[in-house]
Amino acid sequence: MPDRLCSWKQGLEGFAAATAVSDLDALKEYLVRIKPDVLLLQLELPDLEGTKGIARLMKLNPATRIIVLSGEISDDRELALFRIGVRGCCRSDIDPQLLKSIIVAIKQGELWIRRTLTPRLLDELGARMRDDSDTRRANVARLADLTRREREIAELIGNGECNKQIARQLTITERTVKAHLTEIFRKLGIADRLKLALLVIDLPDV
């Protein structure tokens, strides 16, 4: 574990000061006292109790975005982590520079999820939303607050386009795309691209 902590810290260069904790009680105290933006959480942390334990941690500071690091885990277990609100999953032996990219993506409101799992998660969450007519009406009302450009970007997100592809299609810079996404997330009260993609199901024609 010390070697892994050293490797992870390399991925944190350039970010705000980081603290490493090795037991669950210290982690709970850290979440309440420091309220970190992003938490790198080792799934095998002693006494964590897997998904249920992570869900309890999230209640201590819901604003903290959690990235779970682990060895090999099943698709079902990884999906369970995203269902409770985890923002990313990756291997414990991940390359430090890739870890840095993941943290940047998570801080920008994205998810770090394997492409093979995305359709299953979208199907599950989409089914829940379609079953709730009140939610559908509320979503349409929220989407109506977007500008024309924001609605165009939202539709492209719903089609699975990345920021670079959106920038190319709309003849704008990636920085502009990111700025629009930040405003879209603020207006809709959401925090990531997956939830935006689900909302786009109810988006009226632009």
Side-chain angles (χ1 to χ4, degrees):
M1 183 60 70
D3 290 340
R4 287 180 180 175
L5 285 174
C6 181
S7 176
W8 295 347
K9 287 180 179 179
Q10 291 180 40
L12 297 176
E13 291 181 3
F15 292 107
T19 300
V21 296
S22 57
D23 67 82
L24 189 58
D25 288 337
L27 175 56
K28 291 178 179 178
E29 180 182 351
Y30 182 74
L31 280 171
V32 173
R33 183 168 53 87
I34 304 299
K35 302 186 186 322
D37 291 333
V38 176
L39 171 67
L40 302 180
L41 179 62
Q42 180 68 36
L43 189 59
E44 292 79 16
L45 183 70
D47 301 319
L48 180 60
E49 297 182 358
T51 304
K52 291 181 180 179
I54 295 174
R56 289 193 290 267
L57 287 177
M58 295 176 72
K59 292 180 181 179
L60 297 176
N61 184 23
T64 295
R65 301 175 176 94
I66 295 180
I67 302 173
V68 170
L69 298 107
S70 71
E72 292 287 347
I73 61 174
S74 67
D75 289 357
D76 288 340
R77 191 175 189 189
E78 188 167 340
L79 281 170
L81 291 170
F82 281 103
R83 290 190 195 107
I84 64 171
V86 165
R87 300 302 180 84
C89 288
C90 53
R91 290 181 57 89
S92 300
D93 58 358
I94 186 170
D95 178 81
Q97 290 306 309
L98 179 55
L99 178 60
K100 187 172 185 177
S101 298
I102 293 173
I103 294 171
V104 170
I106 298 300
K107 287 173 70 69
Q108 292 175 344
E110 300 185 21
L111 295 179
W112 191 267
I113 182 172
R114 285 185 285 139
R115 288 182 178 273
T116 54
L117 296 182
T118 302
R120 285 182 59 184
L121 191 59
L122 282 170
D123 287 345
E124 289 181 16
L125 295 178
R128 293 180 194 174
M129 293 178 66
R130 289 192 293 273
D131 288 342
D132 189 339
S133 58
D134 291 337
T135 298
R136 287 171 61 84
R137 287 192 292 270
N139 288 342
V140 171
R142 291 159 67 193
L143 290 163
D145 291 335
L146 301 183
T147 65
R148 182 181 182 86
R149 177 63 84 191
E150 289 167 351
R151 287 154 65 93
E152 289 175 340
I153 291 174
E155 284 195 326
L156 291 171
I157 292 292
N159 290 336
E161 305 288 352
C162 68
N163 288 356
K164 182 176 293 186
Q165 292 168 325
I166 293 172
R168 186 181 302 117
Q169 290 191 46
L170 300 181
T171 319
I172 57 179
T173 66
E174 286 188 61
R175 177 173 294 187
T176 299
V177 174
K178 291 176 182 178
H180 279 304
L181 281 174
T182 297
E183 183 64 11
I184 291 170
F185 293 157
R186 185 192 67 78
K187 287 183 177 179
L188 300 181
I190 59 178
D192 57 62
R193 301 166 78 95
L194 177 59
K195 290 185 176 65
L196 177 57
L198 292 172
L199 288 175
V200 170
I201 294 172
D202 290 311
L203 184 64
D205 293 337
V206 177

PDB file of all heavy atoms in Angstrom, residues 90-116:
ATOM      1  N   CYS A  90     -11.500   2.970 -10.962  1.00  0.00           N
ATOM      2  CA  CYS A  90     -10.308   2.611 -11.720  1.00  0.00           C
ATOM      3  C   CYS A  90      -9.451   1.667 -10.891  1.00  0.00           C
ATOM      4  O   CYS A  90      -9.690   1.475  -9.691  1.00  0.00           O
ATOM      5  CB  CYS A  90      -9.515   3.856 -12.131  1.00  0.00           C
ATOM      6  SG  CYS A  90      -9.100   4.964 -10.772  1.00  0.00           S
ATOM      7  N   ARG A  91      -8.460   1.073 -11.520  1.00  0.00           N
ATOM      8  CA  ARG A  91      -7.602   0.105 -10.844  1.00  0.00           C
ATOM      9  C   ARG A  91      -6.639   0.812  -9.885  1.00  0.00           C
ATOM     10  O   ARG A  91      -6.218   1.942 -10.128  1.00  0.00           O
ATOM     11  CB  ARG A  91      -6.822  -0.709 -11.872  1.00  0.00           C
ATOM     12  CG  ARG A  91      -7.679  -1.688 -12.671  1.00  0.00           C
ATOM     13  CD  ARG A  91      -6.808  -2.470 -13.646  1.00  0.00           C
ATOM     14  NE  ARG A  91      -5.737  -3.188 -12.955  1.00  0.00           N
ATOM     15  CZ  ARG A  91      -5.873  -4.427 -12.472  1.00  0.00           C
ATOM     16  NH1 ARG A  91      -7.020  -5.073 -12.610  1.00  0.00           N
ATOM     17  NH2 ARG A  91      -4.856  -5.026 -11.861  1.00  0.00           N
ATOM     18  N   SER A  92      -6.280   0.096  -8.836  1.00  0.00           N
ATOM     19  CA  SER A  92      -5.371   0.666  -7.839  1.00  0.00           C
ATOM     20  C   SER A  92      -3.987   0.942  -8.407  1.00  0.00           C
ATOM     21  O   SER A  92      -3.282   1.838  -7.941  1.00  0.00           O
ATOM     22  CB  SER A  92      -5.250  -0.287  -6.643  1.00  0.00           C
ATOM     23  OG  SER A  92      -6.507  -0.499  -6.045  1.00  0.00           O
ATOM     24  N   ASP A  93      -3.586   0.167  -9.408  1.00  0.00           N
ATOM     25  CA  ASP A  93      -2.254   0.340  -9.990  1.00  0.00           C
ATOM     26  C   ASP A  93      -2.265   1.261 -11.213  1.00  0.00           C
ATOM     27  O   ASP A  93      -1.403   1.185 -12.075  1.00  0.00           O
ATOM     28  CB  ASP A  93      -1.658  -1.017 -10.371  1.00  0.00           C
ATOM     29  CG  ASP A  93      -2.539  -1.783 -11.360  1.00  0.00           C
ATOM     30  OD1 ASP A  93      -3.635  -1.272 -11.721  1.00  0.00           O
ATOM     31  OD2 ASP A  93      -2.151  -2.889 -11.774  1.00  0.00           O
ATOM     32  N   ILE A  94      -3.228   2.164 -11.268  1.00  0.00           N
ATOM     33  CA  ILE A  94      -3.385   3.070 -12.405  1.00  0.00           C
ATOM     34  C   ILE A  94      -2.152   3.961 -12.567  1.00  0.00           C
ATOM     35  O   ILE A  94      -1.489   4.330 -11.584  1.00  0.00           O
ATOM     36  CB  ILE A  94      -4.657   3.928 -12.217  1.00  0.00           C
ATOM     37  CG1 ILE A  94      -4.936   4.780 -13.464  1.00  0.00           C
ATOM     38  CG2 ILE A  94      -4.531   4.814 -10.988  1.00  0.00           C
ATOM     39  CD1 ILE A  94      -6.289   5.455 -13.420  1.00  0.00           C
ATOM     40  N   ASP A  95      -1.837   4.312 -13.799  1.00  0.00           N
ATOM     41  CA  ASP A  95      -0.730   5.225 -14.079  1.00  0.00           C
ATOM     42  C   ASP A  95      -1.022   6.594 -13.452  1.00  0.00           C
ATOM     43  O   ASP A  95      -2.136   7.110 -13.574  1.00  0.00           O
ATOM     44  CB  ASP A  95      -0.565   5.379 -15.596  1.00  0.00           C
ATOM     45  CG  ASP A  95       0.530   6.361 -15.950  1.00  0.00           C
ATOM     46  OD1 ASP A  95       1.700   5.982 -15.922  1.00  0.00           O
ATOM     47  OD2 ASP A  95       0.179   7.529 -16.239  1.00  0.00           O
ATOM     48  N   PRO A  96      -0.069   7.200 -12.756  1.00  0.00           N
ATOM     49  CA  PRO A  96      -0.299   8.471 -12.073  1.00  0.00           C
ATOM     50  C   PRO A  96      -0.817   9.583 -12.981  1.00  0.00           C
ATOM     51  O   PRO A  96      -1.673  10.375 -12.575  1.00  0.00           O
ATOM     52  CB  PRO A  96       1.088   8.826 -11.511  1.00  0.00           C
ATOM     53  CG  PRO A  96       1.774   7.519 -11.350  1.00  0.00           C
ATOM     54  CD  PRO A  96       1.288   6.676 -12.491  1.00  0.00           C
ATOM     55  N   GLN A  97      -0.315   9.657 -14.217  1.00  0.00           N
ATOM     56  CA  GLN A  97      -0.766  10.708 -15.113  1.00  0.00           C
ATOM     57  C   GLN A  97      -2.210  10.494 -15.548  1.00  0.00           C
ATOM     58  O   GLN A  97      -2.973  11.448 -15.718  1.00  0.00           O
ATOM     59  CB  GLN A  97       0.161  10.786 -16.346  1.00  0.00           C
ATOM     60  CG  GLN A  97       1.541  11.330 -16.032  1.00  0.00           C
ATOM     61  CD  GLN A  97       1.489  12.672 -15.327  1.00  0.00           C
ATOM     62  OE1 GLN A  97       0.825  13.609 -15.768  1.00  0.00           O
ATOM     63  NE2 GLN A  97       2.193  12.770 -14.194  1.00  0.00           N
ATOM     64  N   LEU A  98      -2.601   9.237 -15.727  1.00  0.00           N
ATOM     65  CA  LEU A  98      -4.002   8.953 -16.057  1.00  0.00           C
ATOM     66  C   LEU A  98      -4.890   9.286 -14.865  1.00  0.00           C
ATOM     67  O   LEU A  98      -5.992   9.826 -15.031  1.00  0.00           O
ATOM     68  CB  LEU A  98      -4.174   7.490 -16.458  1.00  0.00           C
ATOM     69  CG  LEU A  98      -5.610   7.047 -16.798  1.00  0.00           C
ATOM     70  CD1 LEU A  98      -6.216   7.926 -17.883  1.00  0.00           C
ATOM     71  CD2 LEU A  98      -5.634   5.580 -17.212  1.00  0.00           C
ATOM     72  N   LEU A  99      -4.406   8.988 -13.662  1.00  0.00           N
ATOM     73  CA  LEU A  99      -5.164   9.334 -12.462  1.00  0.00           C
ATOM     74  C   LEU A  99      -5.399  10.837 -12.402  1.00  0.00           C
ATOM     75  O   LEU A  99      -6.493  11.294 -12.047  1.00  0.00           O
ATOM     76  CB  LEU A  99      -4.410   8.862 -11.221  1.00  0.00           C
ATOM     77  CG  LEU A  99      -5.068   9.189  -9.871  1.00  0.00           C
ATOM     78  CD1 LEU A  99      -6.442   8.563  -9.759  1.00  0.00           C
ATOM     79  CD2 LEU A  99      -4.170   8.713  -8.726  1.00  0.00           C
ATOM     80  N   LYS A 100      -4.383  11.600 -12.767  1.00  0.00           N
ATOM     81  CA  LYS A 100      -4.523  13.057 -12.767  1.00  0.00           C
ATOM     82  C   LYS A 100      -5.603  13.496 -13.749  1.00  0.00           C
ATOM     83  O   LYS A 100      -6.436  14.356 -13.436  1.00  0.00           O
ATOM     84  CB  LYS A 100      -3.181  13.706 -13.140  1.00  0.00           C
ATOM     85  CG  LYS A 100      -3.167  15.220 -13.007  1.00  0.00           C
ATOM     86  CD  LYS A 100      -1.763  15.755 -13.205  1.00  0.00           C
ATOM     87  CE  LYS A 100      -1.715  17.255 -12.963  1.00  0.00           C
ATOM     88  NZ  LYS A 100      -0.338  17.784 -13.075  1.00  0.00           N
ATOM     89  N   SER A 101      -5.649  12.874 -14.926  1.00  0.00           N
ATOM     90  CA  SER A 101      -6.673  13.198 -15.924  1.00  0.00           C
ATOM     91  C   SER A 101      -8.064  12.852 -15.412  1.00  0.00           C
ATOM     92  O   SER A 101      -9.032  13.575 -15.656  1.00  0.00           O
ATOM     93  CB  SER A 101      -6.398  12.445 -17.226  1.00  0.00           C
ATOM     94  OG  SER A 101      -5.161  12.828 -17.794  1.00  0.00           O
ATOM     95  N   ILE A 102      -8.165  11.738 -14.696  1.00  0.00           N
ATOM     96  CA  ILE A 102      -9.453  11.318 -14.146  1.00  0.00           C
ATOM     97  C   ILE A 102      -9.949  12.327 -13.120  1.00  0.00           C
ATOM     98  O   ILE A 102     -11.121  12.717 -13.116  1.00  0.00           O
ATOM     99  CB  ILE A 102      -9.336   9.919 -13.513  1.00  0.00           C
ATOM    100  CG1 ILE A 102      -9.065   8.869 -14.598  1.00  0.00           C
ATOM    101  CG2 ILE A 102     -10.607   9.564 -12.732  1.00  0.00           C
ATOM    102  CD1 ILE A 102      -8.760   7.496 -14.053  1.00  0.00           C
ATOM    103  N   ILE A 103      -9.039  12.772 -12.257  1.00  0.00           N
ATOM    104  CA  ILE A 103      -9.426  13.746 -11.233  1.00  0.00           C
ATOM    105  C   ILE A 103      -9.918  15.035 -11.886  1.00  0.00           C
ATOM    106  O   ILE A 103     -10.933  15.613 -11.477  1.00  0.00           O
ATOM    107  CB  ILE A 103      -8.233  14.039 -10.297  1.00  0.00           C
ATOM    108  CG1 ILE A 103      -7.877  12.773  -9.502  1.00  0.00           C
ATOM    109  CG2 ILE A 103      -8.559  15.184  -9.342  1.00  0.00           C
ATOM    110  CD1 ILE A 103      -6.590  12.889  -8.714  1.00  0.00           C
ATOM    111  N   VAL A 104      -9.213  15.493 -12.914  1.00  0.00           N
ATOM    112  CA  VAL A 104      -9.633  16.703 -13.632  1.00  0.00           C
ATOM    113  C   VAL A 104     -11.025  16.513 -14.216  1.00  0.00           C
ATOM    114  O   VAL A 104     -11.895  17.391 -14.102  1.00  0.00           O
ATOM    115  CB  VAL A 104      -8.627  17.050 -14.747  1.00  0.00           C
ATOM    116  CG1 VAL A 104      -9.184  18.150 -15.646  1.00  0.00           C
ATOM    117  CG2 VAL A 104      -7.293  17.479 -14.154  1.00  0.00           C
ATOM    118  N   ALA A 105     -11.272  15.363 -14.847  1.00  0.00           N
ATOM    119  CA  ALA A 105     -12.581  15.085 -15.449  1.00  0.00           C
ATOM    120  C   ALA A 105     -13.681  15.070 -14.390  1.00  0.00           C
ATOM    121  O   ALA A 105     -14.764  15.643 -14.592  1.00  0.00           O
ATOM    122  CB  ALA A 105     -12.537  13.748 -16.190  1.00  0.00           C
ATOM    123  N   ILE A 106     -13.412  14.432 -13.265  1.00  0.00           N
ATOM    124  CA  ILE A 106     -14.406  14.354 -12.197  1.00  0.00           C
ATOM    125  C   ILE A 106     -14.708  15.741 -11.639  1.00  0.00           C
ATOM    126  O   ILE A 106     -15.863  16.087 -11.370  1.00  0.00           O
ATOM    127  CB  ILE A 106     -13.910  13.428 -11.055  1.00  0.00           C
ATOM    128  CG1 ILE A 106     -13.708  12.001 -11.557  1.00  0.00           C
ATOM    129  CG2 ILE A 106     -14.898  13.454  -9.890  1.00  0.00           C
ATOM    130  CD1 ILE A 106     -14.923  11.320 -12.114  1.00  0.00           C
ATOM    131  N   LYS A 107     -13.670  16.559 -11.473  1.00  0.00           N
ATOM    132  CA  LYS A 107     -13.868  17.917 -10.956  1.00  0.00           C
ATOM    133  C   LYS A 107     -14.695  18.759 -11.915  1.00  0.00           C
ATOM    134  O   LYS A 107     -15.337  19.722 -11.517  1.00  0.00           O
ATOM    135  CB  LYS A 107     -12.512  18.583 -10.682  1.00  0.00           C
ATOM    136  CG  LYS A 107     -11.798  18.033  -9.451  1.00  0.00           C
ATOM    137  CD  LYS A 107     -10.393  18.604  -9.309  1.00  0.00           C
ATOM    138  CE  LYS A 107     -10.407  20.066  -8.927  1.00  0.00           C
ATOM    139  NZ  LYS A 107     -10.887  20.279  -7.546  1.00  0.00           N
ATOM    140  N   GLN A 108     -14.682  18.403 -13.206  1.00  0.00           N
ATOM    141  CA  GLN A 108     -15.466  19.126 -14.210  1.00  0.00           C
ATOM    142  C   GLN A 108     -16.883  18.573 -14.352  1.00  0.00           C
ATOM    143  O   GLN A 108     -17.646  19.006 -15.206  1.00  0.00           O
ATOM    144  CB  GLN A 108     -14.757  19.070 -15.565  1.00  0.00           C
ATOM    145  CG  GLN A 108     -13.453  19.852 -15.602  1.00  0.00           C
ATOM    146  CD  GLN A 108     -12.709  19.697 -16.906  1.00  0.00           C
ATOM    147  OE1 GLN A 108     -12.994  18.795 -17.693  1.00  0.00           O
ATOM    148  NE2 GLN A 108     -11.742  20.567 -17.135  1.00  0.00           N
ATOM    149  N   GLY A 109     -17.227  17.625 -13.495  1.00  0.00           N
ATOM    150  CA  GLY A 109     -18.590  17.102 -13.500  1.00  0.00           C
ATOM    151  C   GLY A 109     -18.815  15.863 -14.335  1.00  0.00           C
ATOM    152  O   GLY A 109     -19.962  15.450 -14.536  1.00  0.00           O
ATOM    153  N   GLU A 110     -17.739  15.246 -14.833  1.00  0.00           N
ATOM    154  CA  GLU A 110     -17.894  14.053 -15.647  1.00  0.00           C
ATOM    155  C   GLU A 110     -17.821  12.791 -14.790  1.00  0.00           C
ATOM    156  O   GLU A 110     -17.512  12.839 -13.599  1.00  0.00           O
ATOM    157  CB  GLU A 110     -16.809  14.013 -16.723  1.00  0.00           C
ATOM    158  CG  GLU A 110     -16.846  15.214 -17.664  1.00  0.00           C
ATOM    159  CD  GLU A 110     -15.854  15.102 -18.800  1.00  0.00           C
ATOM    160  OE1 GLU A 110     -15.435  13.967 -19.102  1.00  0.00           O
ATOM    161  OE2 GLU A 110     -15.503  16.148 -19.374  1.00  0.00           O
ATOM    162  N   LEU A 111     -18.140  11.660 -15.411  1.00  0.00           N
ATOM    163  CA  LEU A 111     -17.975  10.361 -14.774  1.00  0.00           C
ATOM    164  C   LEU A 111     -16.806   9.641 -15.430  1.00  0.00           C
ATOM    165  O   LEU A 111     -16.531   9.856 -16.604  1.00  0.00           O
ATOM    166  CB  LEU A 111     -19.231   9.498 -14.936  1.00  0.00           C
ATOM    167  CG  LEU A 111     -20.525   9.957 -14.273  1.00  0.00           C
ATOM    168  CD1 LEU A 111     -21.640   8.962 -14.573  1.00  0.00           C
ATOM    169  CD2 LEU A 111     -20.353  10.118 -12.776  1.00  0.00           C
ATOM    170  N   TRP A 112     -16.155   8.777 -14.663  1.00  0.00           N
ATOM    171  CA  TRP A 112     -15.126   7.919 -15.242  1.00  0.00           C
ATOM    172  C   TRP A 112     -15.650   6.489 -15.148  1.00  0.00           C
ATOM    173  O   TRP A 112     -15.561   5.852 -14.120  1.00  0.00           O
ATOM    174  CB  TRP A 112     -13.801   8.079 -14.504  1.00  0.00           C
ATOM    175  CG  TRP A 112     -12.675   7.415 -15.253  1.00  0.00           C
ATOM    176  CD1 TRP A 112     -12.208   6.145 -15.084  1.00  0.00           C
ATOM    177  CD2 TRP A 112     -11.910   7.985 -16.325  1.00  0.00           C
ATOM    178  NE1 TRP A 112     -11.190   5.888 -15.975  1.00  0.00           N
ATOM    179  CE2 TRP A 112     -10.988   7.004 -16.752  1.00  0.00           C
ATOM    180  CE3 TRP A 112     -11.925   9.226 -16.962  1.00  0.00           C
ATOM    181  CZ2 TRP A 112     -10.087   7.234 -17.780  1.00  0.00           C
ATOM    182  CZ3 TRP A 112     -11.019   9.448 -17.979  1.00  0.00           C
ATOM    183  CH2 TRP A 112     -10.108   8.452 -18.385  1.00  0.00           C
ATOM    184  N   ILE A 113     -16.217   6.026 -16.249  1.00  0.00           N
ATOM    185  CA  ILE A 113     -16.875   4.733 -16.269  1.00  0.00           C
ATOM    186  C   ILE A 113     -16.508   4.003 -17.551  1.00  0.00           C
ATOM    187  O   ILE A 113     -16.349   4.641 -18.608  1.00  0.00           O
ATOM    188  CB  ILE A 113     -18.410   4.891 -16.170  1.00  0.00           C
ATOM    189  CG1 ILE A 113     -19.110   3.523 -16.140  1.00  0.00           C
ATOM    190  CG2 ILE A 113     -18.951   5.775 -17.261  1.00  0.00           C
ATOM    191  CD1 ILE A 113     -20.604   3.613 -15.854  1.00  0.00           C
ATOM    192  N   ARG A 114     -16.350   2.698 -17.467  1.00  0.00           N
ATOM    193  CA  ARG A 114     -16.025   1.934 -18.669  1.00  0.00           C
ATOM    194  C   ARG A 114     -17.163   2.037 -19.682  1.00  0.00           C
ATOM    195  O   ARG A 114     -18.340   1.967 -19.322  1.00  0.00           O
ATOM    196  CB  ARG A 114     -15.782   0.470 -18.300  1.00  0.00           C
ATOM    197  CG  ARG A 114     -14.453   0.233 -17.614  1.00  0.00           C
ATOM    198  CD  ARG A 114     -14.214  -1.239 -17.377  1.00  0.00           C
ATOM    199  NE  ARG A 114     -15.020  -1.758 -16.282  1.00  0.00           N
ATOM    200  CZ  ARG A 114     -15.640  -2.931 -16.285  1.00  0.00           C
ATOM    201  NH1 ARG A 114     -15.589  -3.702 -17.358  1.00  0.00           N
ATOM    202  NH2 ARG A 114     -16.332  -3.332 -15.241  1.00  0.00           N
ATOM    203  N   ARG A 115     -16.795   2.200 -20.954  1.00  0.00           N
ATOM    204  CA  ARG A 115     -17.798   2.350 -22.009  1.00  0.00           C
ATOM    205  C   ARG A 115     -18.764   1.176 -22.054  1.00  0.00           C
ATOM    206  O   ARG A 115     -19.939   1.329 -22.372  1.00  0.00           O
ATOM    207  CB  ARG A 115     -17.119   2.503 -23.377  1.00  0.00           C
ATOM    208  CG  ARG A 115     -16.435   3.847 -23.569  1.00  0.00           C
ATOM    209  CD  ARG A 115     -15.825   3.950 -24.961  1.00  0.00           C
ATOM    210  NE  ARG A 115     -15.219   5.250 -25.169  1.00  0.00           N
ATOM    211  CZ  ARG A 115     -15.863   6.313 -25.604  1.00  0.00           C
ATOM    212  NH1 ARG A 115     -17.158   6.228 -25.858  1.00  0.00           N
ATOM    213  NH2 ARG A 115     -15.240   7.471 -25.776  1.00  0.00           N
ATOM    214  N   THR A 116     -18.277  -0.020 -21.730  1.00  0.00           N
ATOM    215  CA  THR A 116     -19.140  -1.196 -21.792  1.00  0.00           C
ATOM    216  C   THR A 116     -20.234  -1.170 -20.728  1.00  0.00           C
ATOM    217  O   THR A 116     -21.262  -1.842 -20.871  1.00  0.00           O
ATOM    218  CB  THR A 116     -18.307  -2.484 -21.618  1.00  0.00           C
ATOM    219  OG1 THR A 116     -17.547  -2.395 -20.404  1.00  0.00           O
ATOM    220  CG2 THR A 116     -17.371  -2.684 -22.799  1.00  0.00           C
TER     221      THR A 116
END
